[in-house]
Amino acid sequence: MLSFNRRQFLAAASATAITSISTPAAFAAANDELRVVVIGANGIGRTHLNGFPEISGVRVVGVCDVDSAVLGKRAEEFQKKFNTKLKTYGDMRQVFDDPNVDAVVLAVPNHWHGLGTVWGCQAGKDVYTEKPCSHNIWEAGQMEKAAKKYDRIVQIGIQRRSFTHLKDFFQEIQQGVLGKVKQVKGLYLTRRDSIGQPTGPPKPLATVNHDLWCGPAPTKLERANYHYDWHWFWEYGNAELGNNGPHILDLCRWSIGADEFPTAVSSVGGRYVWDDNGQTPNTHLLRYEYAQAPITFEIRDLPTATGKRDTCDYMGISYGIVVEGEDATYVGFDTGKVIDRQGKTIREITGTTGPDGGRQLHRENFVKAVRSRKSSDLNCDVRTGHLSSALCHLGNISHQVGEVISLKSLPERTQGQPLVHEAATRMQSHLEANGIDVSSAQVQMGKSLEIDPKTETFTQNETANSLLKREYRAPYIVPEVV
């Protein structure tokens, strides 16, 4: 494995033509020690720091974060728990330059997933990238090309793909155990709170390298809370749809064996009740057209009614999927049940989920593939992660190119789509229960967009196609040629 100075490299590299100057890491033998660095340690990265050391033959050798306070805290916690001093890095490029690192975990904000993965592959590192696969659809294609070109193992952190009981049962669904599938509903009905308004011009935390945090994205700061609330701003996050949607839409797609883009997408939604400056919907309804069955997805971040601190539910669950067949229906998330047409439970679907919401099983699967050097051993490679994350991007694009209509007209506007009409009626009632005046309120009616699954582009909307990619801030540019 050859080390290189990425700062010098980036200064000299063209934004459209980057060539390889590294060779694949030598790590392969089953008995070799796998040296891992976790990049991004403020959220899920913390669980990775605790999880990877539990895998035989794996040694976490370092941690990287652009927030020096977080970096120091995680290193201290790790040393106390595992009696091991970690090497600390303030810039992921330092990790990629380090010849004593075999694999990296990217637990960074969404806008860094694409470039971080490409850089990791170019540097000869295997990569575990958190969901969503990428910040936009084009990036995922570049990630896929980089993994193939540099013969890298790249796992996407949609960890329920490592649940064998779901894999087995979903095969049964595709073979007709529920009868012909009529529809699949995805649900994320978990209450959140407002992110509030900045009380003055927002400033980066003194401990953060703001330029590095922003990376490919603009440096303008609008949020009051520096960490996490970036999810609700388009330049960095992908809304609730791109936050928890990848997990649930993956289950929707997986359950019916839909292994390509849908043929159409539509949406309706908006941001309600909260007095804040977040840009993304907190109430969102999506529909995706597949030959196997239509998929709808409902997001509600508000409680059941004004003044309550609870969450909504549908058929007894607040998040998960409902697969409705002609003979029976499956309701579940990590586990689930099959109910007959009278609503009686006739079968329980259970299995091993492991610790940390299934992530530990997924980490173990990543290590297995790194040792075998076979991407086919991965439970969620870039392609699989891309197809599920892309549903989030497609839905957000429909929303962004849509039009504002009156909320009271929503039932009439969705009359021709029975599944959407039913969900839209529930949405309208839910908003009314949260104090929204239906007679005067507005909603964003997303554009109904046709998609060519082969080219993964919209067929008749160039405005929508322009959102398949983003403008990058130099020198943090995802290369046209990886």
Side-chain angles (χ1 to χ4, degrees):
M1 172 168 62
L2 299 179
S3 177
F4 61 94
N5 187 312
R6 186 163 293 276
R7 288 181 184 80
Q8 294 174 353
F9 174 62
L10 284 172
S14 165
T16 59
I18 296 180
T19 58
S20 170
I21 57 173
S22 64
T23 58
F27 178 84
N31 294 324
D32 285 350
E33 183 178 63
L34 178 64
R35 300 164 298 180
V36 174
V37 170
V38 175
I39 302 174
N42 199 41
I44 296 301
R46 187 179 189 180
T47 73
H48 287 305
L49 281 169
N50 290 322
F52 271 101
E54 302 296 336
I55 304 174
S56 178
V58 174
R59 182 162 63 98
V60 175
V61 296
V63 59
C64 176
D65 203 284
V66 298
D67 187 333
S68 60
V70 171
L71 184 62
K73 186 176 182 180
R74 296 294 175 260
E76 181 180 356
E77 291 172 347
F78 192 91
Q79 186 164 6
K80 286 182 179 179
K81 182 172 184 177
F82 297 103
N83 196 30
T84 299
K85 185 175 182 179
L86 293 178
K87 186 173 181 178
T88 57
Y89 310 81
D91 184 334
M92 70 171 70
R93 292 171 291 190
Q94 297 168 341
V95 181
F96 299 140
D97 286 345
D98 194 336
N100 298 310
V101 176
D102 303 303
V104 299
V105 181
L106 286 175
V108 291
N110 300 3
H111 64 286
W112 262 111
H113 289 187
L115 184 56
T117 300
V118 170
W119 277 357
C121 290
Q122 289 177 333
K125 317 298 185 188
D126 296 311
V127 185
Y128 183 118
T129 302
E130 268 300 340
K131 58 76 194 170
C133 176
S134 60
H135 186 256
N136 61 59
I137 287 173
W138 177 81
E139 285 180 356
Q142 302 307 94
M143 293 165 65
E144 200 171 358
K145 291 173 185 175
K148 182 177 180 180
K149 179 175 180 178
Y150 299 102
D151 192 22
R152 294 297 87 203
I153 302 299
V154 180
Q155 175 95 300
I156 305 302
I158 301 177
Q159 67 267 13
R160 285 162 190 83
R161 283 278 169 168
S162 289
F163 290 174
T164 56
H165 59 284
L166 292 184
K167 178 182 178 181
D168 293 342
F169 180 65
F170 289 166
Q171 287 179 343
E172 290 187 53
I173 290 179
Q174 294 159 34
Q175 293 164 2
V177 71
L178 303 178
K180 180 177 173 57
V181 175
K182 297 191 293 184
Q183 62 172 311
V184 183
K185 286 188 175 77
L187 305 161
Y188 189 78
L189 313 176
T190 301
R191 183 190 58 80
R192 288 189 184 273
D193 292 322
S194 168
I195 65 172
Q197 295 276 7
T199 56
K203 295 181 180 180
L205 298 172
T207 55
V208 171
N209 184 324
H210 185 62
D211 180 76
L212 281 180
W213 188 96
C214 295
T219 58
K220 183 180 180 181
L221 185 59
E222 299 175 86
R223 59 195 183 276
N225 181 35
Y226 192 87
H227 291 304
Y228 195 80
D229 286 353
W230 52 264
H231 281 289
W232 324 128
F233 294 85
W234 293 117
E235 295 284 8
Y236 317 102
N238 302 99
E240 191 72 88
L241 180 56
N243 187 31
N244 283 289
H247 292 303
I248 295 166
L249 284 168
D250 181 70
L251 295 177
C252 292
R253 188 177 66 78
W254 191 15
S255 69
I256 57 175
D259 290 329
E260 61 179 4
F261 270 40
T263 56
V265 62
S266 56
S267 73
V268 59
R271 194 173 185 90
Y272 297 97
V273 178
W274 298 340
D275 178 19
D276 65 21
N277 66 336
Q279 298 171 343
T280 63
N282 64 10
T283 303
H284 211 175
L285 169 61
L286 298 304
R287 178 180 168 114
Y288 305 91
E289 303 298 336
Y290 279 105
Q292 294 90 337
I295 293 173
T296 58
F297 186 32
E298 296 179 49
I299 294 172
R300 297 184 209 165
D301 284 347
L302 301 176
T304 57
T306 300
K308 294 193 175 183
R309 302 285 295 172
D310 59 358
T311 61
C312 301
D313 73 85
Y314 179 86
M315 294 187 69
I317 61 174
S318 292
Y319 45 85
I321 66 171
V322 176
V323 185
E324 183 182 339
E326 291 182 340
D327 301 329
T329 296
Y330 169 75
V331 181
F333 188 47
D334 289 353
T335 59
K337 61 184 179 180
V338 179
I339 59 177
D340 63 18
R341 295 176 67 180
Q342 287 71 48
K344 179 182 177 181
T345 299
I346 56 177
R347 181 179 172 188
E348 300 281 351
I349 307 301
T350 61
T352 301
T353 59
D356 196 16
R359 290 187 186 89
Q360 192 65 6
L361 293 177
H362 213 47
R363 295 180 190 112
E364 291 169 357
N365 174 249
F366 172 64
V367 172
K368 174 186 175 182
V370 169
R371 294 192 182 284
S372 71
R373 306 310 307 165
K374 295 179 180 177
S375 291
S376 58
D377 284 342
L378 288 170
N379 289 336
C380 192
D381 60 10
V382 178
R383 182 64 183 168
T384 301
H386 166 49
L387 288 174
S388 296
S389 299
L391 294 180
C392 306
H393 301 319
L394 294 171
N396 280 331
I397 290 172
S398 168
H399 176 82
Q400 289 173 292
V401 301
E403 62 174 329
V404 175
I405 65 170
S406 64
L407 183 57
K408 66 181 179 182
S409 70
L410 186 56
E412 180 183 353
R413 292 288 294 265
T414 58
Q415 192 69 49
Q417 302 180 66
L419 299 182
V420 175
H421 179 73
E422 173 202 5
T425 301
R426 286 199 302 273
M427 173 194 287
Q428 191 180 66
S429 297
H430 172 242
L431 292 174
E432 190 169 18
N434 276 276
I436 300 300
D437 183 352
V438 173
S439 65
S440 61
Q442 297 178 318
V443 68
Q444 182 86 348
M445 189 75 182
K447 188 79 171 177
S448 182
L449 299 169
E450 294 183 1
I451 301 163
D452 182 343
K454 289 186 171 55
T455 62
E456 300 184 356
T457 60
F458 300 103
T459 57
Q460 297 177 356
N461 195 305
E462 288 310 307
T463 301
N465 279 327
S466 70
L467 297 177
L468 296 173
K469 188 180 179 181
R470 74 174 305 157
E471 293 292 327
Y472 294 93
R473 187 174 68 92
Y476 310 101
I477 298 173
V478 178
E480 295 282 345
V481 178
V482 298

